[in-house]
Amino acid sequence: MKNIELNIEKTNIATILKFTSSDILTSGSHQFNNIDEAKNSPLAQQLFYLPFVKRVYISANFIALERFSIVEWSDVQEEVKEQIENYLNNGGVLVSEEAAPKKNPVEVYAESTPNPSVLKFVANIKLVENDLEFKNREEAENAPLAFELFNFPFVKEVFISENYVSITKNNTVEWNEITVEIRSFIKQFIADGKTIALENAVQQKVSQVYASTIELDDISKQIIDILEEYIKPAVAADGGNIMFQSYEASSKTVNVILQGACSGCPSSTITLKNGIENMLKELIPGKINEVIAVND
């Protein structure tokens, strides 16, 4: 019987290391976030006993591990490689397909947005906990879905929300030329069980306000509450997001950040003035003069 030999491959994410094989190891792709999720994978369970293993990915020809920061891969990678090779060459089971839970079929459909450069791809499952916006491939290194979407030459920006992906295209193509291709790619990416975004994927332009709302003045807190309750659901339906950035009491100016389909949208100025600005003036009388999008 041929011995399986693994090669160590670095990835674009420093905490993730791949152990690849020239042989097919298993069918499908599997992700295990903890030992409880790994009940149908004896190998993943064994690897979770290593104190530095945070997450395990098993695919057709590789096993990838995400580590905690308590060690560097250079210190342990050879021992891990040997452990996995010994397991495989002793006939160990990677994933018991019989025990694997049945997956609900993934559906993805495209929706137009008020921004002609942006299309919204909606999934029937939850994708991420928090909104994530990426202006380029470098920003997306911790978000595999966005990172791979930037491989398409016409993808300019990517915004990922709870159950949808908004994509901003450049002017080299029309949506009717690429919609089917993008929809199929996203659907397959999700169906394969690949990671949408890692826990340390950071929002590049998130205001620090949400991390320290206790330090805000009362007007700023009121503005945030109104945006969260009345405005965000509406802009999310259009494939975008709005975030509070600051409130200038002297000029009574509210600065916000527009994301996804809202960023660069021809109708965003009208929305800000006739919608958001008027609502804030009505709900917080005498305290609001103007709403400005600082990134539009």
Side-chain angles (χ1 to χ4, degrees):
M1 183 177 177
K2 178 184 175 183
N3 268 3
I4 295 174
E5 295 183 1
L6 300 176
N7 295 312
I8 297 174
E9 287 187 14
K10 293 182 179 179
T11 69
N12 292 314
I13 302 167
T15 55
I16 296 180
L17 197 67
K18 289 172 68 175
F19 301 87
T20 64
S21 170
S22 58
D23 300 302
I24 299 299
L25 303 176
T26 187
S27 60
S29 298
H30 309 269
Q31 175 182 326
F32 304 103
N33 299 308
N34 53 60
I35 196 168
D36 292 329
E37 291 184 6
K39 291 178 180 178
N40 62 313
S41 175
L43 173 60
Q45 284 192 319
Q46 179 175 310
L47 290 169
F48 274 119
Y49 284 110
L50 299 173
F52 53 83
V53 171
K54 181 178 182 180
R55 195 172 281 114
V56 179
Y57 309 87
I58 298 178
S59 192
N61 68 332
F62 72 82
I63 294 149
L65 302 180
E66 182 179 358
R67 63 169 172 81
F68 288 106
S69 57
I70 57 174
V71 297
E72 296 296 328
W73 277 123
S74 56
D75 297 328
V76 297
Q77 62 187 33
E78 291 298 333
E79 289 81 356
V80 173
K81 172 178 173 287
E82 182 179 354
Q83 179 177 334
I84 298 174
E85 284 179 340
N86 288 339
Y87 181 90
L88 296 174
N89 290 316
N90 285 324
V93 175
L94 270 75
V95 179
S96 171
E97 297 296 342
E98 301 78 25
K102 292 183 179 180
K103 297 181 180 179
N104 292 325
V106 174
E107 296 295 337
V108 175
Y109 63 91
E111 281 186 0
S112 60
T113 75
N115 189 338
S117 296
V118 179
L119 209 60
K120 178 181 176 183
F121 295 86
V122 184
N124 63 334
I125 63 171
K126 188 171 185 177
L127 302 178
V128 292
E129 293 291 339
N130 301 304
D131 294 341
L132 299 169
E133 182 181 51
F134 306 100
K135 297 291 188 181
N136 53 59
R137 199 165 189 260
E138 288 68 33
E139 289 183 1
E141 63 177 358
N142 290 332
L145 174 57
F147 191 83
E148 292 196 26
L149 282 169
F150 278 113
N151 288 331
F152 292 98
F154 45 76
V155 171
K156 185 179 179 182
E157 298 177 15
V158 178
F159 177 76
I160 306 176
S161 193
E162 183 177 20
N163 72 323
Y164 68 85
V165 182
S166 286
I167 294 178
T168 306
K169 70 172 183 65
N170 56 35
N171 295 324
T172 61
V173 293
E174 298 298 326
W175 278 119
N176 59 7
E177 301 174 288
I178 60 175
T179 298
V180 173
E181 181 181 11
I182 291 293
R183 188 189 75 85
S184 297
F185 174 82
I186 295 174
K187 180 179 178 180
Q188 192 60 53
F189 190 99
I190 298 170
D192 287 343
K194 295 181 179 179
T195 301
I196 306 298
L198 301 177
E199 290 180 7
N200 59 339
V202 294
Q203 176 59 272
Q204 296 298 319
K205 294 190 176 181
V206 169
S207 166
Q208 294 179 353
V209 166
Y210 291 105
S212 57
T213 53
I214 193 171
E215 300 173 4
L216 295 177
D217 59 88
D218 290 339
I219 300 300
S220 294
K221 291 178 181 178
Q222 282 183 268
I223 294 168
I224 290 175
D225 288 341
I226 292 168
L227 292 178
E228 292 287 337
E229 184 173 355
Y230 298 104
I231 308 300
K232 277 198 172 189
V235 297
D238 287 334
N241 186 39
I242 184 170
M243 297 187 66
F244 175 81
Q245 205 255 3
S246 62
Y247 170 67
E248 299 169 12
S250 57
S251 61
K252 300 179 182 178
T253 299
V254 180
N255 297 306
V256 298
I257 295 172
L258 298 179
Q259 298 175 312
C262 296
S263 180
C265 178
S267 62
S268 62
T269 301
I270 298 173
T271 302
L272 279 175
K273 298 300 177 184
N274 296 346
I276 300 168
E277 188 175 288
N278 287 344
M279 178 177 287
L280 288 174
K281 285 180 178 179
E282 181 179 341
L283 296 178
I284 314 176
K287 298 296 183 180
I288 309 294
N289 280 341
E290 188 177 20
V291 177
I292 298 174
V294 297
N295 66 321
D296 208 32

